[in-house]
């Protein structure tokens, strides 16, 4: 049985309460176990997910498309070459039309304002698959991964080493929701935009090694995110010293985990011995996009399921 909730979007990490996150995490554990045991779980028969891509992806497309099929539904892939969005159709009109023909929509786009405008005109739930400002599904999968390996993240310390990008802003929102602390070290010129920060659960460090001290989780991302390729040479110079290597991991707690949302560049933001070493959980983290998003889709469409 399920309790139907009103239309709810997932556009940034702060959209859910702690209680909602804990519920979806519990469901993700159940759904993942069923997947591993080859148990059929088809709560979304005859439901359709539309995936709108203005930015390319590997993990986002695969996890959402495979996940919707595994839930018994169908997934339709659209990119800007295949839709009128690429020909200048207003975002508001696209939201109106697409939402009349499907049950749930995932959008991977540029500015957060685009997905906000789309959702404001949608009759069905909209999920943020990535924007320039936020990447909530990835951070949700990361936290689920931490739960699997170490238990609750509340009260822990997470280190972020690198760019002040969409991942970091979602991590900051997550710190406020889950009650953990973030140690942040960004190179000069790539600092936080404080207009996107709504928590005080973080400390800034000039030295990235110091940010790793006592951390239970060390996290990083590529130095040049999608859309910033023309800055690559300048970024390589500015980020010199921000590699997560074994010396930095040695300053974290002995059982600290290493995460990276991938794709990774060994020898730039992370050394090979770290990402391929025993503290790295990047492959579990990547796989868990599938499981957490299945639980997320189920919740947005069916509400809470009492089994």
């Amino acid at each position: 049985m399920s309790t139907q909730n009103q239309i709810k979007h997932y556009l940034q990490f702060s959209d859910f309460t702690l209680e909602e996150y804990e519920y979806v995490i519990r469901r993700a554990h159940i759904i993942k176990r069923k997947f591993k045991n080859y148990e059929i779980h088809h709560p979304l028969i005859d439901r359709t997910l539309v995936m709108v891509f203005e930015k390319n992806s590997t993990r986002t497309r695969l996890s959402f498309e495979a996940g919707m099929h595994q839930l018994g539904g169908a997934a339709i892939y659209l990119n800007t070459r295949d839709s009128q969005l690429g020909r200048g159709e207003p975002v508001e009109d696209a939201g109106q039309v697409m939402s009349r023909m499907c049950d749930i929509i995932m959008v991977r786009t540029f500015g957060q304002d685009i997905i906000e405008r789309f959702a404001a005109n949608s009759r069905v739930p909209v999920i943020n698959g990535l924007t320039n400002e936020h990447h909530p599904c990835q951070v949700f999968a990361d936290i689920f991964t931490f739960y699997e390996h170490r238990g609750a993240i509340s009260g822990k310390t997470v280190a972020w080493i690198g760019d002040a990008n969409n991942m970091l802003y979602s991590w900051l929102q997550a710190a406020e929701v889950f009650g953990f602390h973030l140690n942040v070290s960004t190179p000069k010129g790539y600092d936080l935009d404080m207009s996107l920060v709504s928590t005080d659960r973080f400390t800034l460090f000039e030295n990235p090694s110091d940010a790793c001290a006592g951390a239970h989780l060390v996290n990083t991302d590529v130095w040049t995110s999608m859309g910033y390729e023309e800055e690559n040479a300048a970024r390589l110079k500015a980020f010199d010293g921000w590699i997560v290597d074994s010396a930095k991991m040695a300053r974290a707690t002995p059982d600290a985990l290493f995460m990276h949302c991938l794709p990774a560049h060994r020898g730039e933001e992370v050394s090979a011995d770290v990402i391929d070493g025993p503290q790295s959980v990047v492959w579990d983290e990547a796989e868990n996009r599938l499981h957490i998003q299945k639980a997320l889709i189920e919740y947005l469409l069916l509400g809470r399921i009492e089994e």
Side-chain angles (χ1 to χ4, degrees):
M1 295 181 61
S2 68
T3 54
Q4 181 64 46
N5 58 341
Q6 294 180 334
I7 291 177
K8 185 173 182 65
H9 305 299
Y10 189 62
L11 307 182
Q12 52 186 303
F13 203 92
S14 59
D15 284 347
F16 278 16
T17 65
L18 178 60
E19 182 186 25
E20 287 177 303
Y21 275 113
E22 290 177 338
Y23 166 79
V24 178
I25 286 172
R26 289 196 302 272
R27 288 298 299 166
H29 281 298
I30 294 169
I31 290 170
K32 182 175 183 178
R33 186 182 69 241
K34 290 182 177 183
F35 174 80
K36 297 294 186 182
N37 291 334
Y38 294 93
E39 296 178 26
I40 293 174
H41 181 63
H42 285 173
L44 299 183
I45 291 174
D46 205 30
R47 301 291 184 99
T48 303
L49 164 72
V50 167
M51 307 179 297
V52 182
F53 284 86
E54 292 196 283
K55 281 190 173 185
N56 295 329
S57 167
T58 300
R59 278 153 292 277
T60 296
R61 179 178 178 180
L62 184 57
S63 57
F64 272 105
E65 190 163 341
M68 193 64 183
H69 286 299
Q70 291 164 17
L71 292 170
I76 298 172
Y77 170 80
L78 293 176
N79 61 37
T80 49
R81 295 184 302 276
D82 302 327
S83 70
Q84 295 297 335
L85 272 175
R87 301 180 183 89
E89 179 175 27
V91 171
E92 292 80 1
D93 293 2
Q96 289 276 1
V97 172
M98 290 184 192
S99 66
R100 288 170 179 254
M101 298 184 184
C102 65
D103 301 283
I104 190 165
I105 301 171
M106 186 282 298
V107 180
R108 184 177 170 97
T109 186
F110 294 91
Q112 182 73 12
D113 65 300
I114 296 173
I115 198 169
E116 298 279 354
R117 288 159 53 204
F118 188 99
N121 289 274
S122 174
R123 294 183 170 201
V124 301
V126 176
I127 297 174
N128 182 349
L130 175 141
T131 62
N132 291 344
E133 294 86 353
H134 299 285
H135 200 358
C137 288
Q138 180 65 61
V139 173
F140 198 175
D142 294 356
I143 288 174
F144 177 58
T145 305
F146 190 91
Y147 267 66
E148 284 189 321
H149 286 267
R150 298 289 184 264
I153 199 169
S154 173
K156 305 296 186 183
T157 298
V158 177
W160 178 267
I161 310 301
D163 197 6
N165 62 8
N166 50 10
M167 282 291 294
L168 175 54
Y169 292 116
S170 288
W171 270 110
L172 286 163
Q173 290 190 352
E176 184 65 25
V177 173
F178 279 88
F180 59 85
H181 194 82
L182 210 60
N183 287 352
V184 178
S185 183
T186 59
K188 284 185 171 60
Y190 300 91
D191 313 293
L192 282 171
D193 177 353
M194 296 308 295
S195 70
L196 296 175
V197 178
S198 56
T199 183
D200 60 0
R201 292 182 176 272
F202 68 97
T203 304
L204 300 177
F205 291 84
E206 289 188 11
N207 186 328
S209 179
D210 291 342
C212 295
H216 303 90
L217 167 61
V218 178
N219 213 321
T220 192
D221 195 0
V222 293
W223 289 344
T224 305
S225 297
M226 194 181 303
Y228 298 91
E229 287 81 4
E230 72 281 358
E231 301 176 10
N232 190 52
R235 284 173 173 264
L236 287 176
K237 184 177 180 180
F239 283 71
D240 184 41
W242 264 259
I243 184 172
V244 177
D245 52 20
S246 56
K248 291 185 181 68
M249 289 300 298
R251 298 200 62 188
T253 60
D255 65 344
L257 300 177
F258 171 77
M259 291 190 188
H260 189 307
C261 62
L262 303 178
H265 299 141
R266 290 166 176 80
E268 288 187 13
E269 73 274 7
V270 61
S271 61
D273 62 333
V274 169
I275 194 170
D276 299 318
Q279 291 174 282
S280 173
V281 291
V282 297
W283 313 123
D284 292 342
E285 178 188 0
E287 177 191 338
N288 280 336
R289 285 287 299 278
L290 172 71
H291 307 302
I292 206 70
Q293 288 164 189
K294 286 166 70 176
L296 173 64
I297 291 168
E298 181 191 77
Y299 174 62
L300 290 174
L301 286 179
L302 302 181
R304 292 177 182 263
I305 294 176
E306 309 297 340
E307 289 197 350

